[in-house]
Amino acid sequence: MKIKEALEVLGEPYNAGYHSVKAWACFLDDVVGCPCCCCDFGIGLDPIIGLIPVVGDIVGLICALIMVCMCIPLGVSACDLIWMVVNVVIDFLIGEIILVGDVLDFFFQANERNCTILEKSLIKRAKASQQELSTVV
């Protein structure tokens, strides 16, 4: 099952919530695509504001945590939420490394990783919902 099918099964509140989270992740990690067509790499707001010492990384951390909080009403499990927070903390700590961290921050895209976790969680929920419906009918 793909995310599109899962969202059809789960209905509109999940669809709207997922697309809000996806847009937030894209804005933070992938708002400008790489001009080279040989890779699927983009640059978002997070690594750009991370170039501002300390303050930029804190703003990026807050934005990423807001995105994680947006996943809570979508029924993401506690285990998945913990992994999302771990991704955010790793991204923050990478950004704190002087110079090297700024470069690595472009490649470690925690928000896109967290969006993938959300997708897997929603697919799992949709499959469970389908199984419940099939046992009732």
Side-chain angles (χ1 to χ4, degrees), residues 47 50-54 57 92-107:
L51 294 172
I52 303 168
V54 183
D57 291 319
F92 174 74
L93 293 175
I94 286 172
E96 289 300 301
I97 303 169
I98 298 172
L99 295 176
V100 175
D102 292 326
V103 173
L104 292 176
D105 206 18
F106 282 94
F107 296 101

Side-chain angles (χ1 to χ4, degrees), residues 33-47:
C34 179
C36 121
C37 54
C38 64
C39 64
D40 186 28
F41 177 74
I43 299 170
L45 184 66
D46 182 36

